[in-house]
Amino acid sequence: FFEHSGVDPVGIGRAAWSDIRGGSAARQGGSTITQQYVKNVYLTPERRLSRKIREAVIAVKLEQEMSKEEILEAYL
């Protein structure tokens, strides 16, 4: 959490690869805490690529405006 800029490309890639290989039973999350916060506060939980892209863009912008500590406190 403290080492990324809102989005973790490695985590997203790992989750996508796991989902592709194992189908829905092996679903993994690739979202960072910042992305989860954005989804909960600003967006809906729908599972669409367009929502994930908006989530990632907003997460990066949020990381520029808030400190990690502020994001974590708001998330919790």
Side-chain angles (χ1 to χ4, degrees):
F1 169 71
F2 287 99
E3 296 177 9
H4 63 68
S5 61
V7 178
D8 178 12
V10 174
I12 292 170
R14 182 201 72 247
W17 178 247
S18 176
D19 290 351
I20 290 167
R21 280 193 14 237
S24 62
R27 270 206 166 349
Q28 287 193 18
S31 296
T32 65
I33 289 174
T34 307
Q35 287 177 273
Q36 292 176 43
Y37 174 71
V38 166
K39 178 185 71 176
N40 293 338
V41 174
Y42 300 106
L43 302 173
T44 64
E46 67 181 325
R47 297 184 71 101
R48 300 183 73 183
L49 180 59
S50 60
R51 199 261 313 149
K52 288 297 283 184
I53 293 169
R54 284 194 316 271
E55 175 186 294
V57 170
I58 295 169
V60 170
K61 289 181 180 179
L62 190 66
E63 291 255 352
Q64 295 170 352
E65 297 174 10
M66 294 175 70
S67 70
K68 294 284 191 175
E69 290 78 9
E70 290 171 323
I71 293 168
L72 184 57
E73 182 179 339
Y75 175 77
L76 295 174

